[in-house]
Amino acid sequence: MDLNLGSGLDQQVYHQHRNLLFSVAYRLLGTAADAEDAVQDAWIKWSAADRSQVADPKAYLTRIVSNLALERLRSTRHKRETYVGPWLPEPILTVGDTADSVTDAESVSMAMLVVLETLSPLERAVFVLKEVFGFSHAEIAEAVERSEAAVRQTAHRAREHVQARRPRFAADRSRQREVTEKFFAAATGGDINTLMELLSPDVTLWTDGGGKVRQALRPVVGAQTVASWFAAIGTVAYQGIEPADMHAELVEINGGPGLVFSGPDRVIATVTFDFDAEGRITALHNVANPDKLQAITDGTTHDVTTR
């Protein structure tokens, strides 16, 4: 097929793979805004390329977006290291059919993205392309401009690192949703006893306010403390918004059940969960930095499947 037939076909090919490009860029960067920028920049490079030389548009576009994301990751690394409090990924709304693939859902979960943050930019790119998207070592070597031997070594190192840190167990999705619904009812009703039952004894709450809003600067640990934190939702003002003016909604965030809290004129925070095999909540990720809530505010739902 000759791809050099003018803009109509070029656009068609690009749009055919756009979801995939966003899925790659978001897993590499952990922020929707940066991922969208990388996808746009990929279009500019694709438009300017000599497409008569392109045998496989999908691989070519993936290579462009991976390189762009890798550059961006290296340049934003310092910002993340000097961030106020815990740095959490930017949450996104995902479509329900992510449930079709547990791997897709897990690879875009807050828990996994937090683990990916601990890798070097190169390790992260290699891990995502190999383990999540199933690219060969040879394809990845071309994408990240390294030798195949170097990529194999990096892939091995990254896999071991992730396996040592990724959450071990997860309840099935219907159980996760059931627990999230119970948590939602208990938090909005101030029912501390039910909250305690749903939380693992050593549960950890990570809050990201980015220095823009008041949040805990260190992880909050233990069922009693975390339950008290959430039981207060229905009784005290949060970010200047009274409980009566607060709206909470159960939605799919990053491939799993999550909560969105809104005031009359803005999204205030999201909460997502990690579960153990019994379905108890082992960790909560609470994003309240307004700079990271744009993707939720926009209401854009992303298809983050990997095929």
Side-chain angles (χ1 to χ4, degrees), residues 92-174:
I92 56 172
L93 299 168
T94 49
V95 285
D97 57 3
T98 311
D100 292 346
S101 168
V102 174
T103 313
D104 287 352
E106 191 210 13
S107 69
V108 81
S109 68
M110 281 281 170
M112 178 57 87
L113 292 175
V114 166
V115 173
L116 293 180
E117 269 304 301
T118 63
L119 296 172
S120 74
L122 181 65
E123 285 170 342
R124 184 170 185 163
V126 170
F127 180 86
V128 166
L129 292 172
K130 182 80 186 79
E131 301 297 323
V132 181
F133 292 93
F135 283 90
S136 69
H137 290 115
E139 288 169 323
I140 298 166
E142 207 177 332
V144 299
E145 295 167 351
R146 293 288 192 284
S147 71
E148 201 175 324
V151 163
R152 277 180 193 281
Q153 210 171 3
T154 303
H156 178 71
R157 198 166 56 237
R159 195 182 313 113
E160 285 195 332
H161 182 98
V162 171
Q163 278 170 352
R165 288 165 178 77
R166 80 197 314 168
R168 283 284 179 277
F169 311 103
D172 67 63
R173 290 181 67 85
S174 59

Side-chain angles (χ1 to χ4, degrees), residues 12 27 97 132 164 174 192 210 216 239 249 276-277:
Q12 199 182 329
R27 286 172 174 89
D97 57 3
V132 181
S174 59
I192 198 160
Q239 290 185 38
E249 191 182 357
D276 64 15

Side-chain angles (χ1 to χ4, degrees), residues 12-289:
Q12 199 182 329
V13 170
Y14 170 80
H15 283 291
Q16 187 187 339
H17 299 299
R18 198 183 188 290
N19 268 348
L20 176 71
L21 300 184
F22 179 84
S23 292
V24 171
Y26 178 70
R27 286 172 174 89
L28 287 183
L29 292 163
T31 94
D34 285 348
E36 288 290 2
D37 285 349
V39 170
Q40 284 305 319
D41 290 348
W43 163 247
I44 292 164
K45 281 186 178 280
W46 167 250
S47 303
D50 176 5
R51 288 170 304 280
S52 64
Q53 302 302 307
V54 176
D56 182 349
K58 179 183 167 186
Y60 184 83
L61 282 162
T62 306
R63 186 163 78 238
I64 293 174
V65 89
S66 302
N67 259 317
L68 290 164
L70 203 45
E71 280 170 33
R72 201 172 276 266
L73 198 54
R74 287 178 177 131
S75 66
T76 56
R77 203 160 172 78
H78 176 66
K79 264 199 287 192
R80 296 186 188 185
E81 284 165 0
T82 55
Y83 195 77
V84 178
W87 188 95
L88 292 178
E90 186 182 336
I92 56 172
L93 299 168
T94 49
V95 285
D97 57 3
T98 311
D100 292 346
S101 168
V102 174
T103 313
D104 287 352
E106 191 210 13
S107 69
V108 81
S109 68
M110 281 281 170
M112 178 57 87
L113 292 175
V114 166
V115 173
L116 293 180
E117 269 304 301
T118 63
L119 296 172
S120 74
L122 181 65
E123 285 170 342
R124 184 170 185 163
V126 170
F127 180 86
V128 166
L129 292 172
K130 182 80 186 79
E131 301 297 323
V132 181
F133 292 93
F135 283 90
S136 69
H137 290 115
E139 288 169 323
I140 298 166
E142 207 177 332
V144 299
E145 295 167 351
R146 293 288 192 284
S147 71
E148 201 175 324
V151 163
R152 277 180 193 281
Q153 210 171 3
T154 303
H156 178 71
R157 198 166 56 237
R159 195 182 313 113
E160 285 195 332
H161 182 98
V162 171
Q163 278 170 352
R165 288 165 178 77
R166 80 197 314 168
R168 283 284 179 277
F169 311 103
D172 67 63
R173 290 181 67 85
S174 59
R175 175 77 179 133
Q176 289 181 22
R177 187 166 178 90
E178 180 195 333
V179 171
T180 305
E181 284 169 354
K182 283 182 180 168
F183 182 93
F184 176 59
T188 48
D191 180 353
I192 198 160
N193 291 333
T194 301
L195 287 171
M196 291 279 289
E197 286 166 20
L198 298 172
L199 299 169
S200 153
D202 56 354
V203 63
T204 305
L205 164 66
W206 303 85
T207 68
D208 178 344
K212 307 282 173 79
V213 295
R214 257 189 84 192
Q215 290 291 88
L217 295 179
R218 289 192 180 82
V220 178
V221 182
Q224 179 75 54
T225 322
V226 172
S228 304
W229 172 289
F230 280 99
I233 284 174
T235 57
V236 296
Y238 180 70
Q239 290 185 38
I241 294 168
E242 293 299 325
D245 298 324
M246 180 92 75
H247 171 69
E249 191 182 357
L250 186 64
V251 294
E252 186 182 297
I253 299 175
N254 288 72
L259 305 177
V260 174
F261 292 91
S262 309
D265 59 351
R266 69 185 198 275
V267 172
I268 301 162
T270 61
V271 179
T272 52
F273 307 88
D274 297 350
F275 303 89
D276 64 15
E278 282 76 54
R280 286 183 310 181
I281 296 165
T282 55
L284 303 95
H285 298 103
N286 171 209
V287 179
N289 179 348

